[in-house]
Amino acid sequence: MPFSDALTMARLTGMTREYGKKKLDIRRAIAFSLTDLRKSPAILVGAFNNSWTMRLDTDLRFTFEWNDDTHTGRIRDRQYPSNWSWSHDPGLPYASVARDYAVVSRFQNPLTEKMLVVVAGMGRDGTIAAGEFVTEPRYLDQLASRAPRNWEHKNLQVLLATDIVNGTTGPPRILATYFW
């Protein structure tokens, strides 16, 4: 498991223990079946390294898309599919990467018939920033200030960016939101 996913899972576990009463079932994505995901709400961490993320968020506005020919990934915006602003080339030397992107989604999934939360970045820094975003009240306050009335009861997606300085993930910044 990548360190970024482990760090994000630790943050999420701490938050759910503080606010939740239910026991968490933490497993690698390959250890979950559709039957498992239909039993209870789930939090999915990671994008390209999590097959469930790649499968269950395909109908959303912001989705992760991998190009096998160029070995690059991007976040695709269904409203503006020609926009390639949020892309990632894992073949680049890490020291040359100055920005990463992430998507946080909360939605009722039609296949599982349960609530899913996806916390995922294009690369490791995006996943770390997404984990920070969902567990820090100040970032959720920023989201609330942009959200429509009763947003707490709506499906949502938040597109995030983070700057990377000398290998350190900066704070998450909201680039776009979508509620339905």
Side-chain angles (χ1 to χ4, degrees), residues 1-151:
M1 171 183 301
F3 175 75
S4 57
D5 290 2
L7 179 61
T8 300
M9 286 178 38
R11 291 182 75 99
L12 291 165
T13 301
M15 180 191 71
T16 56
R17 284 196 179 166
E18 184 176 336
Y19 296 106
K21 306 254 190 269
K22 293 192 176 195
K23 179 184 167 243
L24 284 178
D25 183 8
I26 299 172
R27 294 188 240 169
R28 296 177 62 89
I30 60 172
F32 277 99
S33 68
L34 180 58
T35 301
D36 295 327
L37 292 171
R38 292 190 67 207
K39 289 180 183 175
S40 66
I43 301 171
L44 304 176
V45 175
F48 299 114
N49 63 344
N50 187 326
S51 60
W52 285 113
T53 296
M54 299 302 290
R55 181 177 191 153
L56 296 176
D57 80 348
T58 56
D59 294 329
L60 303 181
R61 176 178 172 185
F62 299 110
T63 60
F64 293 92
E65 189 174 88
W66 182 257
N67 185 322
D68 283 326
D69 295 332
T70 61
H71 301 287
T72 57
R74 75 167 177 155
I75 295 172
R76 180 175 186 239
D77 182 347
R78 288 195 183 282
Q79 289 185 357
Y80 306 98
S82 61
N83 181 357
W84 282 79
S85 298
W86 314 303
S87 60
H88 178 74
D89 181 353
L92 290 175
Y94 181 68
S96 69
V97 178
R99 183 165 293 133
D100 201 354
Y101 302 97
V103 177
V104 171
S105 303
R106 182 190 69 203
F107 62 104
Q108 186 78 23
N109 183 268
L111 184 60
T112 67
E113 298 180 321
K114 298 293 180 196
M115 185 63 67
L116 285 181
V117 174
V118 177
V119 180
M122 294 290 296
R124 63 185 180 196
D125 295 285
T127 298
I128 290 169
E132 185 176 348
F133 180 82
V134 299
T135 58
E136 291 290 333
R138 69 181 178 270
Y139 300 123
L140 296 176
D141 289 343
Q142 290 174 12
L143 175 61
S145 72
R146 297 170 173 235
R149 279 180 17 141
N150 297 320
W151 71 274

